Structure formats: C-alpha cells, structure tokens
Amino acid sequence: MVVYRLRKKLIPTGAQLMTLRGLGYLLKLPA
Amino acid sequence: MKARAAHALAKVRATMSLRRYLLLGILIPVCLFVVLDTFTLYRQALSAVNTAYDRTLLASAKSIGEHIEALGDGEVAQLRALVPYAALEPFEADNRSRMVYRISSVQGDLVDGFADLNAWRGQLPDRGPYAALVDFYDDTYRGDPVRVAVLLQPVAMNQARVMAVVQVAETLELRRTLARQILIDTLWRQAALVSLITLVVLVVVQRATRPVRQLSAELQARCDDDLTPLRAPDAPRELVPLVEATNSLMLRLQHLLDHQKRFVRDASHQLRTPLAVLKVQVQSALRGDVEARQALLEISDTVERATVLANQMLALAKVAQLVQQPPTGAVDWAVVLREVALDVSPLIAAKELDFDITTAPAWVNTHDWMLRELVRNLLHNSIRYTPDFGTLSVQLVCDDRSAVLVIRDSGPGISSELRERLFQPFSAGETRSGSGLGLAICYEIVQALGGSITLDNRETHARISGLDTTVRLPLVQNADEWNDFE
C-alpha cells in the first residue's frame, strides 16, 4: 500500500520505483 | 636435538648423489662387519694358538715330572730331581722363545730349576679338558711376560708319598709372532674381500644407475620447447613410474603452453581492435567528419570496452594466481550473491527487467574475491543478453553436499556450435559487447573450487525461451567449526 501510494506520488516527477523481488526497491530517476 | 639430527641427515641425503648413497649404504655396513669379523677371527685364532702351546707346556711339565724322586718315609719325604735342560729341548719350537722350569714342594721350597721363576701360589681350577692337577696362567720372568703351566705331580717311591709342583714357563715371542702372522693373513683376506665387494658394488651401481643418467642426458640435450614424451623402452621397472609421471607432466605443460600461446594471440588481437577503432575515431574527429561531442562519446565507449577487456584479462590472471593459494575460509555464497545483485541493480533497472532472487545460506570454501567475480560475471552475462523488459530469475539452493545457483534469463540462449568452445577465451558469443573472457573466468573459478558449470537452453513450445546457467559448488561440511577456528 505504501509503495503504491509512493509510486502515484512519483508519477509527476517522472521517477519510477522498480521492484527487485527478494532484494528490495530501486528508485529510477528520469534521464 | 633428535629432530635436528634427522633434519641434517635428510639434508645430506637430499644433496647426495644416488650412486654415492648406494655405495655408502652398502660399503659402510660391509666394512663394519668385516672389522668385527676380523677382530673375532683374530681372537679365535689366538685362543686356538694358546690352547695348542699350552698343551706343549703341559707335556713338558709332565716330562719333567718323570724325573722327580722322593727320598725318605711317608709325607715328610724329601723331593729330588735331576732334570737336564736338554729335556726341554724337544718342546722348544724354535730358538726365539725360551723355556724355564721350577720344581718345588707344595710349600714352595725350591727343589730344582730356576729359582727366579715365581713360585705358584694359586688354586687349582676346575678344568674339564685336563683331568690332572694342572693350571695355566700368565706371569713375568726377568721382566718378560711368560705363559706358565703348573702340574701337581704326586711322587710315590718306596715308603715315600709326597706332592711336587712342576712349573714350566715359556716366553711369548713365538706365540706373538704366530698371532701377528695370523692377524696379517686375516687382514689380507678381509682386505681382498672388501676390495672385491667394492668392485662388484661399483660395477652394479654403475650399471643400475645408467638408465637414470641416460634419461638425464636425453632431457638435457633437448631444445627448450621440446615437450615430446620421453622414450625409455629399456628403463627398469622402478623407473617406469617416473618416466610416466614425467611424460604426463610434459603433456600438461604442452597443453598449458598451447593454451597460453592461444590466449596471447587472441588477447593481442582483441586489444588491437579497440586501438584501431580508437585511431579511426580520433582521425575522423580531427578531420571534422563528426561533431566533437559525438566523437568524444564514441571514443569514451571504445576506451570503456578496452578497459573492461584489460580488467577481465587481469581477473583471469588473478584467478590463475589464486588457484595456487589455499582458500581463505568459508564464505556465505548467499551474502555474496545478494551484494553483487545489489551492485548490478542499476543495469537491471536500465533494462527494466522482471527480476527476482531467492537465496539460502550456502557456505563455500573459497576466496571471497573469486566467488564475487564468478557471480558478477554470470549476472553481467545474463543481464547483457536479456532483452529489455525481459525476465531474470536468480535462485540459490542447497542439498546435502553442494550449493546450486541457477540463473534463468529470457535471452536468445546459445547455439549448438558455440557450446563446444563456450569456456575458451574470446570464443564465446558476441565479443563486441563484452570482453569474451567472462565465461572463461567463471570456468576457471568453478574448476578451482571443485564444482561444475553448465549452460542449457530453456525451450517453451519447441522454441528457445531463454538460458539456464547452473553452477554447483561443494559445501563446507562444518562451516561453524571453520569460522570458530578462523
């Protein structure tokens, strides 16, 4: 739920939150 | 102290030639035995000589005893003897030794003979071979050593009953001469025996070590690059394992040399390619064919590829070096795997791969660097060949004796012709995007750790849907004890 909300908030910035299952999350900034 | 002596002995043995070792090993015990045997023979001969001469002395004492008379009555009778010295002459062997005699009563009163010969004061021993009242002993006469025979001679004549003591002494010149002669003869024989044994041992050792010298000469006469097998059809059975081991070593060296030659050739070619590209790019930029920024970007890519290639070559050399060293201890493969996955996560994110990883603790006896390099190369390969938005799955599981890492990607897989030379440097897959050394490094590491690596295409509906890379490494059986010890 927290990740879902964070992803929604990141949409305007162009950044993405990627899931690496078993490892964690990775914030991918816009180029 | 004992250990130091043993170490010194081992050092002497190590530096001594085989021929000298055999010669000393045989001749020293033989010489010791010969010395002991000579001493024993001499003692036995001397004893035999003494026994023989003692019998002569006894015979002379008995001869003298026959010239003794008793005068008077009973046990108070007087002894009388008239012994011409000529009576002793038959018993004198030659003129080098002298014989003297003394006849006395049991109380020691001189009856006849040489007064300066010491009177006998001893007890008669129990001598088996001489039933008579006889004794032999060593004494001196006028400063010279003598051998003395004593005979207690009962004299009975008319009413007289009395005991006479007859001593006959002989100087030792003859005995000594004979003993010296026996010693010299014995020494000559033993010397001849030792000489014969030495000669035989020399010839036998020389012949026995000839194949070794022939092999040595053959090896020395070879050219530096001649690693053909040794031919020794006449080698003795003891040398056959050495020849076989040497030939096996030659074969391995030949393979290693071939491998190194091929590697140097391929490495030179691979290094020359980015340099040539770099030269073209620089010339193109100088002529103004491309914009400066574009040219610098292209040059940067080329330098990056050359750097990767150089680093991979160094990594391969480092693996070869670490293989010779003992492992540093037990390393948890799961921890290494997760750390490396974290390092390469930007690459995963760049391709937006569907990634997942599951691990279980897996303790492996290795160098931390080698395990890290293995995982890094495998993940880099899988990420490189997986298309954008593809899937990449990493799984580390354990069974009783080994840990198994399976990396499943959704890349194009490998062709059957590549499979044969997959782990050879610069021969696997597309080397333009990589160094061509990654799988070779992985193979060397896995071999060094006693494991195995396989790459298998995964098929779905008769079409290749990806590649499964499987690495199996032996587990440390008692990792807790190992770490406590460390």
Side-chain angles (χ1 to χ4, degrees), chain B residues 115-378:
Chain B
D116 45 1
L117 179 63
N118 298 326
W120 176 70
R121 305 276 181 211
Q123 297 281 328
L124 279 176
D126 180 17
R127 289 183 186 274
Y130 301 103
L133 303 174
V134 175
D135 189 18
F136 301 96
Y137 62 95
D138 295 317
D139 203 351
T140 56
Y141 175 73
R142 294 179 182 173
D144 295 327
V146 289
R147 180 75 172 166
V148 185
V150 182
L151 172 69
L152 268 67
Q153 176 72 47
V155 181
M157 192 168 283
N158 298 327
Q159 300 299 318
R161 300 278 189 276
V162 72
M163 184 73 82
V165 177
V166 180
Q167 294 169 256
V168 180
E170 185 187 32
T171 53
L172 302 181
E173 285 87 353
L174 189 61
R175 294 183 188 222
R176 284 180 173 171
T177 303
L178 190 58
R180 195 179 301 122
Q181 192 59 46
I182 290 172
L183 178 64
I184 290 170
D185 289 347
T186 307
L187 282 176
W188 270 115
R189 278 199 305 275
Q190 300 292 15
L193 180 65
V194 168
S195 303
L196 182 65
I197 291 173
T198 304
L199 189 66
V200 170
V201 167
L202 272 172
V203 171
V204 170
V205 168
Q206 191 77 6
R207 287 193 173 188
T209 54
R210 185 182 296 163
V212 179
R213 290 195 302 279
Q214 284 174 344
L215 279 177
S216 175
E218 187 187 336
L219 281 173
Q220 280 189 341
R222 285 185 170 212
C223 305
D224 291 345
D225 57 347
D226 185 2
L227 292 174
T228 52
L230 284 172
R231 287 183 303 278
D234 301 329
R237 196 166 41 187
E238 288 77 6
L239 271 183
V240 171
L242 177 65
V243 173
E244 287 176 351
T246 307
N247 285 342
S248 171
L249 177 67
M250 294 276 198
L251 197 64
R252 292 201 301 275
L253 279 175
Q254 187 65 57
H255 286 161
L256 187 65
L257 274 178
D258 291 345
H259 181 266
Q260 285 185 340
K261 281 179 185 172
R262 192 168 56 244
F263 180 81
V264 169
R265 189 188 62 224
D266 294 344
S268 307
H269 177 72
Q270 294 295 325
L271 279 174
R272 198 175 55 184
T273 304
L275 288 176
V277 172
L278 198 59
K279 188 177 177 183
V280 171
Q281 286 169 336
V282 169
Q283 287 172 345
S284 176
L286 286 174
R287 284 196 304 268
D289 294 346
V290 290
E291 292 179 10
R293 178 178 170 73
Q294 180 63 26
L296 284 174
L297 283 174
E298 289 174 356
I299 288 170
S300 173
D301 284 347
T302 307
V303 170
E304 179 64 24
R305 279 206 303 276
T307 306
V308 168
L309 177 62
N311 285 340
Q312 291 290 71
M313 287 171 68
L314 284 175
L316 193 58
K318 189 172 178 180
V319 170
Q321 181 193 351
L322 284 179
V323 166
Q324 309 297 326
Q325 298 173 6
T328 53
V331 179
D332 189 356
W333 198 0
V335 172
V336 171
L337 184 59
R338 299 181 80 83
E339 287 178 357
V340 175
L342 207 56
D343 288 344
V344 299
S345 60
L347 302 176
I348 298 171
K351 288 192 156 187
E352 300 199 20
L353 302 180
D354 180 10
F355 178 82
D356 75 273
I357 179 171
T358 54
T359 59
W363 293 91
V364 180
N365 187 18
T366 178
H367 293 269
D368 182 79
W369 179 88
M370 283 170 76
L371 201 58
R372 205 169 285 277
E373 197 67 15
L374 170 68
V375 172
R376 196 179 66 77
N377 277 294
L378 292 176

Side-chain angles (χ1 to χ4, degrees), chain B residues 452-479:
Chain B
S452 62
I453 178 170
T454 55
L455 281 80
D456 299 303
N457 289 330
R458 190 174 59 259
E459 293 189 0
T460 309
H461 304 302
R463 291 186 62 185
I464 295 174
S465 59
L467 185 72
D468 290 352
T469 304
T470 307
V471 178
R472 185 179 288 272
L473 294 181
L475 284 171
V476 174
Q477 292 303 313
N478 48 356

